Structure formats: C-alpha cells, structure tokens
Amino acid sequence: MSGQQGGGRCSTGVCATCADLAEEATVLRLLDRGMAVVATGAGELEVSVALVAAAVGDTVLVHAGEAIAVVRG
Amino acid sequence: MRFVDEFRDASTARALAAKISKLCEPGRHYKFMEVCGGHTHTIYKHGLEDYLPDNITLVHGPGCPVCVIPMGRVDDAIHIARQPGVLMTSFGDMMRVPGSDGNFFDSNAAGTNIRMVYSPLDSLKIARQHPDLHVVFMAIGFETTAPSTAMTVLRAAEEGIDNFSVFCNHVTIIPAIKAILDSPDLRLDGFLGPGHVSTVIGCRPYEFIARDHGKPVVVAGFEPLDILQSIYLLMRQLRQGRAEVENQYARVVPWDGNPVALRAINAVMEPRPYFEWRGLGFISHSAMRMRDRYAGLDAERRFDLPGVRVADPKACQCGEVLKGVLKPWECKVFGTACTPETPIGTCMVSPEGACAAYYNFGRFDRRRVREVSRA
C-alpha cells in the first residue's frame, strides 16, 4: 500500500504499489510481444516496453508496468 | 547511483538557491504551483522550501491521482466488488481512499475480494489464472498510467479474454490546470510542469499558459536539483519579462512527448463530457472513458453502477488544499483526526498528497515549520 511497507512509511517515494510513481529501470532482456525483463532497485521485473524504442542496456522510465520513456544522458 | 547522486548535491543546491535569491525583486512576492504530487513529495522530503528566499511560495497543485478521485467513484468501485464472482484489483494507494462507507480494506473485511497490483498487466494475468472469476481493474491516474491501461485493454482484446474489464477513472491534467487558472482564489506567477505526464503528452499542451495567461511554465524533473533549477528558470523568465514553456527535464521528456503512447490511449479511450474531481468539482473533458469498440472490457457498462454523487466530509478541506488555497496545516483536522493511518481526506492518503508530505516530513504547523527550517 502506498507509503507503507511492513508498517513503516516508504522512504524512497518509489513503492512498487503506488499508483503514479515512476521507476527508472535498466532493460536486461527483450521478450516477445513487447515485454522485457528490467532491473529495478528492488530486483528484476517483467514490464511492457511496447511504447518505447528501448534496447538492452537502456534506462527506461516505468509507470505501472509500462515503460513510457527512454532516459537519455 | 546514476541519475540520483548528481541531482542531490548540497553545494550545487546552495549555489542554485543563491542564484534564485539574486533574481528576486525587492518587495515582490512570487507564487509558483508545482502541478504534480511527485514534486510536492520531493520538495518536503528534501526540505527544498528552506533553501528558497521567504518571498517565494510553492503552492501544491492537483496532480495526485488518488487525491482527486471523488468519494462517489470509490463507492461505485466497492459496488462492483460486491457483485458475485468479482475480483477487483487496484493500485496500493487506492486501498485506503475513503468512500462514504469505508475504504477497500473495510470492504474486504466485509467480504469483497479487492487485491493490490503493481500494474494493470498483473490484473490481466490474474484474469488468465482465474477463468471462473471476473477481474475488474480499478484504473486511476493521469496520462502517465493511462498508456499502461490502454495497452492492457489492447492485449486483452487481442487475446479475447472476456473475464476482465476496466473501471476507468483516468483523468487529464490540462483541464485541471485550466480550472485553476480560471479560479479567482489564486494568483500564480508560474508553473512547475509535471515531468512524467509530459513524457507522454510533451510540452506543447502547456503553451496556452504562456501565450494566453502570460505565465511561464518549466517542465521539471523530480530530483532536488531538478526542482531548484526549474524554479531558477521560472525566476529568470520573470526577471527577463518572458513567458514561455521551457523543458528542464529534457533527459526524459521529449518536446513532443510519446506519440506511440498517445495513439494507444486514443485507440482505447475518449474524453468524457465532464468528470467530478474531489475539491475542484465538475470539470469538462477532464477524464477518459472507454470507447464503444471496447465496451465488453468496460466495467461501467458491464455493471449497473449507482453513480451517486457523495459530498466530501464537512471537516475535510482537501478541496482548498488541492487548489493551493490552504496550506495542509491550516485544515481543521490535519494531523489530529486526519493522519496517514486514518485519513479523512484523500490528500493524506497518497505519499504524493500534499497533506501526507507535510505530515510525514514534520511540518505540522506554522511554528513547527519555522523550527524545522532552522534545524
């Protein structure tokens, strides 16, 4: 739940279950049907990369399991 | 950590703050609204207000997706969850949003099955695993989460999954900004534009703010230095007599946004004639509903909803907080009857809510704010 993990308040501002907080993640493997395995601060996660042109190694911005931007720089 | 440490350097922050101070005209007061709740969270987590000169006030806008959901929609969701054979899924921070008869947790205690998920795709996975149940995803959020919902609907349609539907509560940020600009309560000098919404919609939709209202907009990132630099850019525009849209968050936000994501949203959803926002009332064309083509995946059409409008609790002043008219600690119930553990209003629920940000980072009242600032 929002901001609460194990009874304490979330300190990072990026909880996996928060509605509208983005996570930056690195693409590890591209899968079928626009999906990919990404590395987040909290471990590996399968997300959709169908809306961005992301390659392995790119950092993407993930909102609710969907990458919506590639982070440049 | 990449993209984090370099944006949190204290000496750079102090240098930026000094540059901001130099741009202040003596005797003038500046009021900027950060539209996005993510910015509010960063500002209080890192104490950025304390870096700024006294004559700059940050006003917290309506960009917290959970905070703006009216009570009636929570009641509608609980009504759907009570139907036989329904499993509802929701983002975690929606779980504690109060309806007129309790929140999702209370509803579960009374027998419904509302589960937290990380994404709508996870809901679809649950639907595949439970063909005997009808899975309804409670979709909320701005243009940041709408692409995820849209892609899930497209995938469900493609796979022909018929035990899945979406209760669509997606809202759009531009009509809310227009409503704020038209509100006589508030005089603003400029806006910090929502960084992540802009990755999808781009920077062009804000141009009317500069052109028609003569106010600068800087699309801002979410790290402390992003926000301070954006305030600096706003101050520089005011000092130079300019009103333009600038993109401070160019490492993530393309000027034209993400056209593929916009096409996906547009394929699945269309604007509603109007939608009720908590605190702001009914705003025309401010939310999305499912298109006829996806009627079978639309929970609003599959279930008969009560659709009753419920007034906010009298004690709650979330509306004024969402419009930036009141500071959270000026609300009568802030920190007493209303806390993150037992929220009365939505602004106390989500970490993006202004009240939760103030409460969590110790800004309980005017006196305490001064003490925290001196520390």
Side-chain angles (χ1 to χ4, degrees), chain A residues 2 11 16-17 20 33 64 72-73, chain B residues 2 92-93 118 144 148 250-251 351:
Chain A
S2 127
S11 60
T17 53
D20 198 29
R33 306 189 65 230
R72 296 180 298 267
Chain B
R2 195 163 167 240
D93 43 2
Y118 166 66
T144 43
S148 180
R251 67 183 185 280

Side-chain angles (χ1 to χ4, degrees), chain B residues 20 46 114 203 207 218 292 360 366:
Chain B
I20 292 169
H46 296 276
I114 307 178
C203 301
E207 282 170 351
V218 175
D292 290 343
N360 289 334
R366 200 185 299 271

Side-chain angles (χ1 to χ4, degrees), chain B residues 243-302:
Chain B
E244 293 165 15
V245 180
E246 284 185 278
N247 183 9
Q248 183 275 337
Y249 200 29
R251 67 183 185 280
V252 178
V253 175
W255 190 259
D256 290 315
N258 183 337
V260 187
L262 287 172
R263 274 199 296 276
I265 298 174
N266 192 42
V268 172
M269 301 173 209
E270 62 187 7
R272 289 175 194 267
Y274 55 85
F275 191 74
E276 187 191 359
W277 291 54
R278 192 178 288 229
L280 299 177
F282 288 91
I283 305 178
S284 48
H285 302 112
S286 64
M288 308 296 278
R289 66 180 176 201
M290 305 270 285
R291 286 190 185 275
D292 290 343
R293 199 182 314 154
Y294 299 100
L297 293 160
D298 183 0
E300 260 173 280
R301 290 188 236 203
R302 288 184 78 133

Side-chain angles (χ1 to χ4, degrees), chain B residues 134-201:
Chain B
H134 185 85
V135 177
V136 181
F137 174 63
M138 168 87 184
I140 61 155
F142 287 89
E143 289 91 335
T144 43
T145 44
S148 180
T149 303
M151 290 303 287
T152 305
V153 169
L154 291 172
R155 284 172 201 264
E158 192 188 307
E159 290 177 39
I161 296 176
D162 62 2
N163 67 323
F164 175 77
S165 59
V166 168
F167 181 39
C168 187
N169 294 281
H170 283 295
V171 285
T172 51
I173 195 69
I174 297 295
I177 296 178
K178 279 192 179 140
I180 283 165
L181 280 165
D182 292 340
S183 157
D185 298 348
L186 206 55
R187 290 275 164 265
L188 294 167
D189 294 287
F191 288 88
L192 294 174
H196 290 150
V197 162
S198 307
T199 60
V200 177
I201 67 172

Side-chain angles (χ1 to χ4, degrees), chain B residues 104-160:
Chain B
F104 287 177
F105 284 121
D106 301 326
S107 170
N108 277 349
T112 60
N113 190 358
I114 307 178
R115 291 192 198 171
M116 276 183 260
V117 286
Y118 166 66
S119 73
L121 274 177
D122 288 346
S123 308
L124 194 58
K125 204 182 278 175
I126 294 173
R128 285 191 206 103
Q129 288 162 351
H130 297 279
D132 52 321
L133 295 174
H134 185 85
V135 177
V136 181
F137 174 63
M138 168 87 184
I140 61 155
F142 287 89
E143 289 91 335
T144 43
T145 44
S148 180
T149 303
M151 290 303 287
T152 305
V153 169
L154 291 172
R155 284 172 201 264
E158 192 188 307
E159 290 177 39

